Amino acid sequence: MVKLVDVPEPERTVIAGLDCPTYGDTPFSNVPPMHERHVAIVSTAGLIVRGDRPLLARDVGYRAIPSTVDDGDILCSHVSTNFDRSGFQQDLNVIFPRQRLAELESTGKIGKAADTHYSFMGATNPDALEVKARELAGSMLALGVNTVVLAPV
Amino acid sequence: MSGLAHFFEKEGLATIIVALVREHVEQMRPPRSLWVPFELGRPFGEPGNATQHSRVLLGALTLLDGSGPGPILKDFNDEKSMTDTADNWQFPITLESDSVKSELRSLIPVWKKARRRHGRSTVGISGLSPEQAIEFIDRYHSAKPAPNPKGMSVVARARFAIDDIKALYLEAATAVGNPTSNQLQNWLWQQTIAGAMILKFQEKARTSENKNLQLIAGSLVPAERVISRC
């Protein structure tokens, strides 16, 4: 798979038709050098911790996934059937590379891997996420996070 | 994803998107994106390829070194796949074929083997055991449905029970070898009783008068698999 044109139908039409609002500007925040970055991962795979209430379709909330949670207790509640789950089932790092990020911290390439990462439900109107997204940004900044890797599925 | 980038940046938090659909980031123009040429569901590459995951992650973080203004969109240069995939992959054993319950019984040992191989399982979102999940869907439209434990609506329970059944079967199928996602999907939907049961459930949900069931119908079976069975 390379570009949208390579996605089989009918998914291609579904993906092409997803609501993609445009914004009048492209805000661009400053970031410190690599070795000073405090990095969090935010996934839109609808990830939850085992036992939590799953994220549902059009759910605008997010879930926190502390680093203390075992890989085996991270589940996917995403509503879409149109992406491969077998990669995630075999290896969490395929969609949520927190282990790889921790390695970058231990080798000194980045300053710190965040203690907590987060997940929203994808396939949601982006504008509906604004309130919770801004709330989460404030929480992460308060924890010292200065860089976010956004990971879709 | 681009919306999240926009709102985070507005609050002063720097972001980088690992983008799977290039057309979406071209349209929404988030500040920084690294487009990766992997299939949907695998933004950091193939399972078990830690080197590839690290390359994608570092490639993304390196993109933050550049100064603005955005949008910055770069393509990730993929290396050759490290995984040997089999052209003629088959499920490792012959499953029982008397009923969906007997099929499940024969699949469980293979699933346990896969769980040991991968060090974890993603089954369990419904809160039901594999046997209960199969029972729940098998009897859903019968005169005597299986009981629904507290904490989740019956329709939500059905959706997540189906998620668990699919996860169970797909995990079992990766106990041995490295099948492609397409091989796994072909097997689940064309060769298993559980796949046929879910397809039947999906059709009933799609045509149900229960609006909540109708709503989950699109979340049960990949669209091209519904069509391929017609």
Side-chain angles (χ1 to χ4, degrees), chain B residues 193-213:
Chain B
I193 302 171
M197 177 183 73
I198 295 169
L199 282 163
K200 190 174 166 187
F201 185 98
Q202 189 273 345
E203 180 58 18
K204 286 198 172 188
R206 190 183 67 81
T207 56
S208 171
E209 292 181 359
N210 181 327
K211 285 198 163 47
N212 290 327
L213 260 185

Side-chain angles (χ1 to χ4, degrees), chain B residues 1-210:
Chain B
M1 197 95 267
S2 298
L4 288 177
H6 186 81
F7 303 132
F8 286 169
E9 297 271 356
K10 280 276 192 188
E11 294 295 316
L13 193 52
T15 63
I16 170 72
I17 296 177
V18 177
L20 285 161
V21 181
R22 202 177 201 285
E23 288 82 351
H24 285 176
V25 288
E26 285 172 350
Q27 186 177 339
M28 293 185 72
R29 300 166 60 83
R32 309 169 194 85
S33 309
L34 178 68
W35 174 72
V36 291
F38 308 131
E39 68 180 296
L40 299 181
R42 298 184 173 196
F44 292 88
E46 57 194 16
N49 193 342
T51 302
Q52 187 179 50
H53 308 157
S54 296
R55 284 190 62 230
V56 174
L57 194 54
L58 260 180
L61 289 168
T62 302
L63 215 52
L64 285 144
D65 293 339
S67 57
I72 296 170
L73 171 57
K74 187 179 174 186
D75 292 351
F76 177 74
N77 294 316
D78 187 31
E79 74 268 38
K80 190 177 179 300
S81 170
M82 299 292 285
T83 304
D84 279 335
T85 51
D87 289 339
N88 298 307
W89 175 85
Q90 290 187 322
F91 192 77
I93 65 166
T94 301
L95 295 171
E96 296 292 329
S97 56
D98 293 341
S99 68
V100 68
K101 290 177 190 170
S102 68
E103 181 182 79
L104 175 69
R105 275 195 297 274
S106 61
L107 179 118
I108 288 288
V110 188
W111 172 62
K112 288 181 177 175
K113 185 174 181 178
R115 203 171 55 181
R116 286 193 296 274
R117 181 185 187 192
H118 304 308
R120 72 192 233 283
S121 170
T122 66
V123 175
I125 200 162
S126 70
L128 302 175
S129 69
E131 293 80 6
Q132 288 172 323
I134 288 282
E135 186 83 16
F136 196 84
I137 298 305
D138 195 34
R139 286 170 50 190
Y140 191 92
H141 289 102
S142 74
K144 283 191 175 180
N148 180 34
K150 287 181 181 174
M152 198 181 281
S153 75
V154 69
V155 171
R157 186 83 65 190
R159 191 213 128 183
F160 289 117
I162 286 174
D163 276 2
D164 274 342
I165 295 166
K166 291 185 292 188
L168 180 83
Y169 273 66
L170 293 178
E171 285 177 11
T174 60
V176 178
N178 296 301
T180 65
S181 59
N182 197 45
Q183 288 169 329
L184 292 168
Q185 294 291 327
N186 286 342
W187 169 75
L188 174 64
W189 299 114
Q190 295 172 11
Q191 297 182 39
T192 71
I193 302 171
M197 177 183 73
I198 295 169
L199 282 163
K200 190 174 166 187
F201 185 98
Q202 189 273 345
E203 180 58 18
K204 286 198 172 188
R206 190 183 67 81
T207 56
S208 171
E209 292 181 359
N210 181 327

Side-chain angles (χ1 to χ4, degrees), chain A residues 80-129:
Chain A
S80 174
T81 57
N82 296 325
F83 66 88
D84 170 66
R85 280 172 167 75
S86 68
F88 156 71
Q89 288 159 358
Q90 295 170 74
D91 184 348
L92 176 63
N93 289 285
V94 165
I95 66 170
F96 199 61
R98 60 180 193 161
Q99 190 180 346
R100 301 286 90 81
L101 195 63
E103 288 163 5
L104 293 183
E105 178 187 345
S106 64
T107 56
K109 284 198 167 64
I110 63 168
K112 181 171 170 51
D115 291 331
T116 302
H117 303 291
Y118 303 89
S119 187
F120 285 85
M121 170 66 79
T124 305
N125 176 0
D127 286 340
L129 301 176

Side-chain angles (χ1 to χ4, degrees), chain A residues 139-151:
Chain A
S139 299
M140 287 192 283
L141 286 164
L143 292 168
V145 171
N146 53 33
T147 307
V148 171
V149 175
L150 290 159

Side-chain angles (χ1 to χ4, degrees), chain A residues 2-26:
Chain A
V2 180
K3 288 188 177 178
L4 196 50
V5 69
D6 302 304
V7 177
E9 288 289 9
E11 288 96 339
R12 188 192 317 158
T13 300
V14 172
I15 294 166
L18 284 176
D19 189 19
C20 289
T22 53
Y23 303 100
D25 60 342
T26 298

